[in-house]
Amino acid sequence: MYVIRDLIVDFNKFLEQHKRIKPYLIRKKTESEGKEQFLQSMKDRDTLDGYVECVLCACCSTSCPEYWWHGHSKKPNDFLGPAALLHAYRWVQDSRDEATQERLSALANFYSVYRCHQINNCTNVCPKRLEPGKAIANLRLLISGFKKKKKADMEGKVPADPNKACPKACANN
Ligand code: SF4
Ligand code: SF4
């Protein structure tokens, strides 16, 4: 990353790449945004362990040789880097997200995912012991069709207001 001064580096490109993978839940119908919460089984939630704990420290991306070479190329021909791709996988994997195909299609090009050489410097340096290299490998399997997203164990929604979502349980508390 470009040094601004002393140990302060320019995070702008890194954060722009993070924004580009749309790091938020996408539903087809948006009219209930903020009014409803979508259900997820504990088993499906467990599949996000190892991906949701990222603190965006950028250690993985800055340790990645491919990111040194192509991370700062001009958009869209830049390698997104392990941090952004770990988050991309986190949202692809989420049982509540409905934009899986759009997310995978956006990554199915020469630079976004395929510049990774799977040497896993990124995984070695992560202070949270996450595995961005594994996330990228899983994305490739999904993009190539060798792996399919599992169907959600639980679907449905409840009101966002907890008093309405569980009137009996809340009344007892
Ligand atoms: S090193 Fe780990 S915690 Fe830091 S940005 Fe990468 S995946 Fe996230
Ligand atoms: S495995 Fe891929 S993302 Fe991780 S350091 Fe190597 S080239 Fe970079």
Side-chain angles (χ1 to χ4, degrees), residues 11 14 50-51 53-63 82-84 86-87 121-133:
F11 256 71
F14 176 81
Y51 304 105
E53 299 90 342
C54 174
V55 290
L56 285 179
C57 65
C59 289
C60 55
S61 293
T62 50
S63 79
L86 175 126
H87 283 263
N121 268 9
C122 50
T123 298
N124 281 341
V125 299
C126 176
K128 300 281 287 181
R129 303 197 173 178
L130 309 183
E131 297 181 274

Side-chain angles (χ1 to χ4, degrees), residues 4-73:
I4 297 174
R5 183 178 165 169
D6 302 330
L7 293 178
I8 302 167
V9 292
D10 185 351
F11 256 71
N12 279 324
K13 179 80 179 176
F14 176 81
L15 294 175
E16 184 271 324
Q17 286 162 329
H18 178 65
K19 196 172 164 189
R20 231 188 296 160
I21 60 96
K22 302 191 177 170
Y24 42 81
L25 189 72
I26 300 178
R27 302 284 296 186
K28 288 188 179 133
K29 292 182 186 163
T30 54
E31 65 272 7
S32 60
E33 265 178 20
K35 296 180 196 140
E36 291 173 325
Q37 35 181 332
F38 303 100
L39 300 177
Q40 183 173 56
S41 73
M42 287 170 72
K43 205 166 145 204
D44 282 344
R45 168 59 188 82
D46 286 349
T47 66
L48 304 180
D49 281 351
Y51 304 105
V52 288
E53 299 90 342
C54 174
V55 290
L56 285 179
C57 65
C59 289
C60 55
S61 293
T62 50
S63 79
C64 167
E66 208 44 53
Y67 194 72
W68 303 340
W69 291 113
H70 295 112
H72 286 73
S73 304

